[in-house]
Amino acid sequence: VQLQASGGGTVQAGGSLSLSCQASGSVWMVNDMGWYRQAPGKQRELVAYFGGGGSRKYSDSVKGRFTISGDNAKKMVDLQMNSLSPEDTAVYYCNADIVAYSGTRATYWGQGTLVTVSS
């Protein structure tokens, strides 16, 4: 099982970026998916969450600016980021609760993608 993240890059403050994450391999079922980020010198934090039933949750710092969308059947989750500020600069990681064909259920992480917002 793998999570492949794409997107990210460098943008000026006020700009927008989008991230995508695709699960592949022996994936039988995807439950919850989400995006986390880790800024230099800080702990990894939850940015947005997409539940198997379509529920969404956002951190207070991104609420109203970021939108998470997902398709558990297609095993993918996207994050649209608008009105970006330098405080959003971080490495962003996708995360998913996956049941493999073997029956094993585990949490998987993508490789991380860097988002840099310049002032």
Side-chain angles (χ1 to χ4, degrees), residues 30-96:
V30 176
N31 295 315
D32 308 329
M33 303 186 79
W35 287 94
Y36 287 70
R37 68 185 181 187
Q38 187 166 18
K42 295 187 177 182
Q43 289 187 331
R44 191 173 297 188
E45 62 173 355
L46 174 67
V47 175
Y49 160 95
F50 184 84
S55 61
R56 294 170 172 82
K57 183 171 64 177
Y58 299 93
S59 69
D60 288 342
S61 62
V62 308
K63 202 172 295 183
R65 300 186 298 121
F66 290 12
T67 301
I68 190 169
S69 59
D71 188 327
N72 293 69
K74 294 182 179 179
K75 307 166 190 176
M76 60 182 295
V77 64
D78 296 331
L79 185 68
Q80 176 64 39
M81 305 181 292
N82 298 327
S83 302
L84 285 161
S85 71
E87 289 69 35
D88 296 314
T89 295
V91 177
Y92 284 69
Y93 298 90
C94 63
N95 162 287

